[in-house]
Amino acid sequence: MKYSSIAAKAVSRLFILLLLFATIPLFQADSSKLQHLYIVTKSKWLFFFPILLIASFVYFFIRCTIKKYSEPDSNWLLVVNTLVLMIYCATLFARIYELVK
């Protein structure tokens, strides 16, 4: 139980820290390039899974925080969810940064 709470706290704090650092280059970039950045899709379902991933992160983060990281199953689910969300955000950041650069 101890390892799961340490892992959940570390990964969630790392994610929030990386999310803050990822916004810095977007504010320093030319704002005119960001205004002409559009997302065009053929399917509405494209946004379903990223929204589900973010919603589940918020749910598990709030649940673990309220329970004070005492449930190992919720902690490990938060860790896995956060790692997948980090990978998704890193690919999204790299793609947007490539377009803005």
Side-chain angles (χ1 to χ4, degrees):
M1 184 170 84
K2 184 178 179 181
Y3 295 118
S4 67
S5 65
I6 292 171
K9 287 177 187 178
V11 169
S12 60
R13 289 176 184 169
L14 180 66
F15 172 70
I16 293 171
L17 186 68
L18 288 176
L19 195 63
L20 290 174
F21 284 141
T23 58
I24 292 171
L26 294 177
F27 288 125
Q28 292 177 348
D30 189 15
S31 63
S32 64
K33 290 181 182 179
L34 289 175
Q35 290 176 355
H36 299 291
L37 187 66
Y38 300 105
I39 299 173
V40 179
T41 65
K42 295 180 182 178
S43 174
K44 296 177 185 177
W45 288 98
L46 180 71
F47 299 112
F48 177 71
F49 292 108
I51 290 171
L52 183 65
L53 190 63
I54 293 168
S56 61
F57 169 74
V58 170
Y59 170 74
F60 283 123
F61 185 70
I62 291 172
R63 180 181 169 124
C64 289
T65 305
I66 289 173
K67 300 284 184 178
K68 299 191 186 294
Y69 298 95
S70 62
E71 296 178 348
D73 292 340
S74 294
N75 292 341
W76 288 119
L77 286 172
L78 176 64
V79 168
V80 170
N81 188 338
T82 307
L83 290 175
V84 171
L85 190 59
M86 282 176 159
I87 293 168
Y88 178 76
C89 287
T91 57
L92 185 66
F93 174 77
R95 190 72 170 140
I96 291 174
Y97 189 71
E98 178 182 301
L99 292 173
V100 172
K101 190 175 179 185

